[in-house]
């Protein structure tokens, strides 16, 4: 994380709690630099959904993001 911060690259560091297999629910929380309150898990489908959205929208470039359902 510290090495990424020192670069000029476009990056997003995704911090995930427990990751069970599961379909996309579209119902998840994200929080810059902290884990969001809520369940301490995130389904694989929701991680994929976040990544695809971030690639299109660039809401969290050069940021560490916590994610959970």
């Amino acid at each position: 994380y510290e090495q990424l911060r020192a670069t000029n690259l476009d990056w997003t560091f995704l911090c995930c709690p427990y990751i069970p297999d599961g379909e996309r629910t579209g119902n998840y929380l994200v929080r810059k630099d902290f884990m969001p309150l809520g369940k301490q898990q995130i389904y694989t489908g929701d991680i994929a959904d976040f990544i695809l959205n971030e690639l299109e929208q660039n809401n969290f470039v050069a940021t560490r993001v916590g994610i959970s359902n």
Side-chain angles (χ1 to χ4, degrees):
Y1 170 70
E2 295 297 330
Q3 290 178 345
L4 285 172
R5 287 180 57 191
T7 70
N8 292 326
L9 299 173
D10 287 343
W11 57 270
T12 301
F13 191 99
L14 190 57
C15 301
C16 303
Y18 175 63
I19 306 172
D21 285 335
E23 297 293 322
R24 175 194 169 278
T25 68
N27 187 23
Y28 54 89
L29 304 169
V30 294
R31 187 171 174 201
K32 181 180 175 181
D33 290 323
F34 295 96
M35 288 303 296
L37 298 175
K39 293 181 183 178
Q40 292 304 300
Q41 70 175 30
I42 182 70
Y43 294 113
T44 53
D46 285 330
I47 293 171
D49 184 65
F50 173 84
I51 291 169
L52 290 173
N53 287 334
E54 182 58 20
L55 286 170
E56 293 177 352
Q57 299 170 11
N58 295 315
N59 291 323
F60 296 99
V61 174
T63 302
R64 175 176 50 186
V65 179
I67 185 171
S68 70
N69 286 110

